[in-house]
Amino acid sequence: MNGVSLIIPIYNVEEYIEECLQSVVKSMNGLPNIQVILVDDGSQDNSGKIAQEFANQHSNFLYVCKENGGLSDARNFGMNYVEYDFIAFLDSDDYIAAEYFKEVFKVIPSDPDMIIFDWEDVGENNYSNLVKGIDFPDSLWTVQPSAWNKIYKKALFNEVKFPKGKIYEDVGTIYKLLYFVKDYSYISKPLYKYRKNRGGSILSTISPKINDIYEVLDSTYNFYRSKGALSKKNNEGLCYQYVKLLMWSNMYRQLKFYKLNLWGFYNKMKQTRVIINKLFKEWKTNEYINKNKEFFSKRLGNNFIERFDGIGKSFLSTTMIVSFLAFKNKSRF
């Protein structure tokens, strides 16, 4: 049936879950064909109790409980209970905009495989930042990897599941799903509210788990190779995400992980550079990297290709670029 099944994994978020679920109730606003699946992933606080109370109050809320297995496991488990043709995900420490369902149901009649929308980062002291859900609406491969800023045809998950135990579970799933997407729609509105840098959240914790990114990207590349689908378009898209994720966002986490151990950081990025140059020999002329000049120039300067190439090339070039980035992007250190 045409409708949306919203899966909400829950684990020790008693401080945030009520705001999350209230935002869902407010957004439903009497609309039909909405199912809310609350997956209690073995919470040890009052999160499960709060979720059960909402399920008792709303007939379209379903509460299910399982042993703790992590975010991916909870999402996969929730998909066993889906009733409608479209699936959405909401993390239980975040919340959605009041117009979320209204906007989504405007698009569903066109029957896209995927619906993409923007989100707003929110935080303490009224922090707010608008994030585009896709870098370029006409280029699907520039979509952000987050699972929660999209609506999916249920059938997309017939072959692909979230990788259990990986902190970059979205990266290891979303870019595989693109293989099956024929039609997609983009809503240029921030329908999701992402609570950024919450203490205790997975990505705010710097640990060896940040290296999961290499495994999930490798799994994605091998997925396309196994399908015989390393076309020019897909190769360009994979290259773009490898560079953007490994040489930018994860690079900062590596810096925080190695702290003052610049030699260790250099060796890690040297290995990263080898991976990118091996898989994507022509990465410097990548269509999407060069198309997104504004994004990269803002962060690395106009000669961003040269700076990307210098990270891990030599200890001296790496140190010089890190010094430049530390000065230019103080807030990230």
Side-chain angles (χ1 to χ4, degrees), residues 214-226:
Y214 294 90
E215 186 175 336
V216 298
L217 280 173
D218 184 58
S219 172
T220 303
Y221 186 89
N222 287 332
F223 172 84
Y224 280 87
R225 183 163 57 183
S226 71

Side-chain angles (χ1 to χ4, degrees), residues 180-242:
F180 302 100
V181 174
K182 306 303 179 187
D183 299 297
Y184 66 96
S185 296
Y186 170 55
I187 302 172
S188 182
K189 294 181 180 179
L191 302 184
Y192 192 96
K193 310 294 182 177
Y194 173 67
R195 204 178 298 274
K196 194 171 178 66
N197 296 327
R198 175 179 72 82
S201 67
I202 294 173
L203 289 180
S204 69
T205 304
I206 302 299
S207 75
K209 291 290 288 178
I210 60 174
N211 291 312
D212 286 356
I213 186 67
Y214 294 90
E215 186 175 336
V216 298
L217 280 173
D218 184 58
S219 172
T220 303
Y221 186 89
N222 287 332
F223 172 84
Y224 280 87
R225 183 163 57 183
S226 71
K227 297 286 187 184
L230 286 175
S231 62
K232 184 179 186 300
K233 178 181 177 181
N234 289 338
N235 203 66
E236 286 276 296
L238 285 164
C239 173
Y240 176 67
Q241 294 302 337
Y242 262 78

Side-chain angles (χ1 to χ4, degrees), residues 7 9 27 30 49 72 75 78 82 84 157 180 223 230 233 238 252 280 285 325 331:
I7 298 173
S27 183
K49 181 180 178 182
S72 289
R75 286 174 176 168
V82 165
Y84 292 110
F157 291 97
F180 302 100
F223 172 84
L230 286 175
K233 178 181 177 181
L238 285 164
Y252 271 98
F280 312 105
T285 58
L325 291 175
S331 63

Side-chain angles (χ1 to χ4, degrees), residues 11 50 63 101 121-122 136 138 241 273 292 328:
Y11 182 71
I50 296 170
Y63 171 82
F101 286 113
D121 289 338
V122 296
F136 302 102
D138 61 343
Q241 294 302 337
R273 188 174 181 275
N292 208 2
K328 189 172 178 64

